[in-house]
Amino acid sequence: MSGSGDKVLLITGGSRGIGASVSRKAARAGWNVVINYVSNDEAAKALAADIRQAGGTAEIVKGDAGTEEGIASVFAAVDEKFGRLDGFVNNAGVVDFPSRVEDFSWVRLERMFAINTVGAIYAAGQAARRMSTLHGGQGGAIVNISSAASRIGSPNQYVDYAASKGAIDTLTIGLAKEVATEGVRVNAVRPGIIDTDIHASGGLPNRAAESADIIPMRRAGRADEVADAVLFLLSEQASYITGAILNVSGGR
Ligand code: NAP
């Protein structure tokens, strides 16, 4: 345990993959963690039980980060339970099956952008509203989870996903400047190919294992390697860092 005291951290999509690693590490560092998820009750409950057993404080909150109502209910739960918000990890995100741009359906694009982009921007705003000294908050830190795809473009796979994450980079740059004098730091992490269930959800269960050839370090990353970068950006050690976008991608 170290230094975060009564501070409260909300992680969207915090129950599995990268988010779950952030939840575990943050709880170990002393944050009270609020773990949002959308459907897998078992995974969320098991993670919270693990964290509590290790002496941490964890709450789980079900809610769709791709809808206004879902996001509102998650932040309302934080308000009700803790009455403060000091850190926000804007992590919920989805991919889709490999496809060329000319084959994208409207439904696919709406889902992708509702969760990865519209929801993420709206949620960042809800976090900023609670943290900003302009609104009586005590400051805080936001870490947006972008993707190396925003630089690479993901041709023949999911250019829509890459574009949805490009918006997250830009959100990070703009929001960081907007709230820079209001006690709120805003940064992003761009993971490369990380070994989580997200690849199976996009129809490529072996993507991480088979990706070594396209990564300079010749291996996929682990969720805990991304979580370490997130924890750093949330911490006081990053007190003069805002608007930064950190690649955690093995050199890719
Ligand atoms: P993951 O293993 O598929 O886990 C997704 C998590 O997000 C789960 O906790 C899931 O909840 C939750 N979630 C999904 N849709 C949600 C929604 N609409 N509302 C609330 N929660 C939702 O994903 P991951 O690989 O850890 O990815 C996390 C973030 O990192 C995403 O933004 C992703 O784009 C980004 N990223 C990942 C990689 C990679 O290679 N893994 C690379 C670059 C960027 P349930 O358990 O309830 O489904």
Side-chain angles (χ1 to χ4, degrees):
M1 293 278 181
S2 75
S4 295
D6 295 331
K7 290 190 173 180
V8 176
L9 175 68
L10 170 64
I11 307 117
T12 58
S15 62
R16 293 190 292 116
I18 292 168
S21 255
V22 172
S23 299
R24 282 184 202 280
K25 281 181 184 280
R28 222 176 289 148
W31 290 88
N32 298 305
V33 296
V34 182
I35 301 166
N36 159 249
Y37 69 104
V38 70
S39 61
N40 188 334
D41 300 307
E42 291 314 308
K45 283 180 190 164
L47 176 62
D50 267 11
I51 290 174
R52 288 179 193 134
Q53 198 170 14
T57 304
E59 299 291 329
I60 58 173
V61 185
K62 192 170 186 168
D64 187 347
T67 68
E68 181 180 3
E69 313 78 63
I71 293 167
S73 70
V74 170
F75 278 90
V78 174
D79 294 342
E80 194 179 319
K81 179 74 191 172
F82 293 103
R84 64 184 288 172
L85 183 68
D86 306 279
F88 176 55
V89 181
N90 211 356
N91 169 75
V94 294
V95 295
D96 211 316
F97 283 68
S99 174
R100 284 173 56 92
V101 174
E102 64 258 40
D103 296 323
F104 290 165
S105 68
W106 190 266
V107 169
R108 170 183 168 124
L109 292 172
E110 281 200 328
R111 168 182 173 267
M112 180 87 72
F113 278 80
I115 299 169
N116 293 6
T117 307
V118 179
I121 297 174
Y122 188 72
Q126 292 299 306
R129 177 181 289 281
R130 285 161 176 79
M131 294 172 177
S132 169
T133 53
L134 190 68
H135 301 291
Q138 298 182 11
I142 296 174
V143 179
N144 297 319
I145 307 300
S146 174
S147 169
S150 73
R151 289 184 283 109
I152 294 164
S154 305
N156 302 304
Q157 188 163 27
Y158 32 57
V159 171
D160 49 354
Y161 171 78
S164 76
K165 292 296 190 176
I168 297 305
D169 291 355
T170 308
L171 164 70
T172 303
I173 293 164
L175 181 58
K177 290 175 179 166
E178 201 167 287
V179 296
T181 60
E182 298 165 22
V184 185
R185 294 182 301 102
V186 184
N187 294 291
V189 168
R190 279 198 201 109
I193 298 174
I194 310 300
D195 189 7
T196 72
D197 295 344
I198 202 171
H199 309 294
S201 74
L204 301 172
N206 301 321
R207 181 162 183 253
E210 292 171 355
S211 63
D213 287 351
I214 57 169
I215 301 170
M217 285 179 71
R218 294 287 179 265
R219 67 170 178 86
R222 300 186 309 270
D224 66 279
E225 293 176 306
V226 180
D228 281 332
V230 173
L231 265 288
F232 166 67
L233 290 170
L234 288 172
S235 78
E236 274 306 303
Q237 287 171 299
S239 57
Y240 198 54
I241 302 178
T242 198
I245 304 175
L246 180 57
N247 296 319
V248 184
S249 53
R252 187 163 177 252

